[in-house]
Amino acid sequence: MAEHVFHLKAHWPGGRNDSGIIETKNLQTKVSIPPEMDGPGIGTNPDEMLLGAAAACYIITLAAMIERSKIETVDLTMESVGIVDVTDGVITYKKIIHNPVVTIKQENKKTKSLLQKLALKAEKSCMISRALKGNVEVEAILSISN
């Protein structure tokens, strides 16, 4: 069994409405509570970062699956939405919806069907989606163009 270990350093010099810094091997950014949650909105925030991790993992997984399936693509883009519920002061990351758009060279029924299957399989195979399973609903809604 092989393990991959990732490291992060964080610095938070103040209270709730201050900002801090997180730093990894390839990322350094300011962080704070978002304005939607009455924070200062400096830099990014944990909600955006979770959405970013889920989206990056999903699109990379989907791209790899499409490549292995020998489907000739022209482009792969995606917009993702994170839905956070606030009920009685309890904040819960409720749902992530990925909306990938695959542009293919030649559209046919077989290719469209396979892409739909891959879009669902990528959501179930992505490491971040699996880590969230049981806590945050993750959904993928594929669009195909040519």
Side-chain angles (χ1 to χ4, degrees):
M1 178 173 119
E3 286 186 337
H4 302 284
V5 179
F6 299 93
H7 298 275
L8 180 139
K9 291 181 182 178
H11 180 238
W12 193 272
R16 180 196 187 279
N17 285 323
D18 285 315
S19 66
I21 294 174
I22 60 166
E23 184 177 352
T24 66
K25 181 179 174 185
N26 295 303
L27 171 71
Q28 182 178 354
T29 188
K30 291 181 179 180
V31 292
S32 72
I33 296 172
E36 296 87 349
M37 296 178 185
D38 298 321
I42 297 169
T44 189
N45 57 70
D47 308 283
E48 288 177 342
M49 291 175 55
L50 180 62
L51 180 60
C57 184
Y58 176 81
I59 200 166
I60 291 168
T61 302
L62 180 57
M65 289 179 169
I66 291 170
E67 180 181 62
R68 281 194 300 270
S69 296
K70 308 275 192 250
I71 297 171
E72 289 189 69
T73 61
V74 175
D75 200 17
L76 174 57
T77 62
M78 186 171 76
E79 290 187 22
S80 295
V81 177
I83 300 167
V84 176
D85 179 61
V86 182
T87 303
D88 298 326
V90 178
I91 302 167
T92 305
Y93 214 112
K94 186 176 173 184
K95 186 174 187 176
I96 293 173
I97 305 167
H98 300 303
N99 294 287
V101 177
V102 181
T103 305
I104 55 177
K105 288 189 177 188
Q106 214 168 1
E107 190 174 328
N108 62 54
K109 224 175 189 174
K110 183 181 173 188
T111 301
K112 286 175 81 171
S113 176
L114 178 56
L115 281 170
Q116 291 290 350
K117 288 177 187 170
L118 293 177
L120 294 173
K121 187 176 180 183
E123 183 269 311
K124 290 176 176 37
S125 302
C126 163
M127 176 180 71
I128 302 299
S129 293
R130 289 194 328 263
L132 297 173
K133 190 176 175 96
N135 292 307
V136 179
E137 182 184 346
V138 180
E139 181 180 359
I141 304 167
L142 177 72
S143 297
I144 302 168
S145 67
N146 62 352

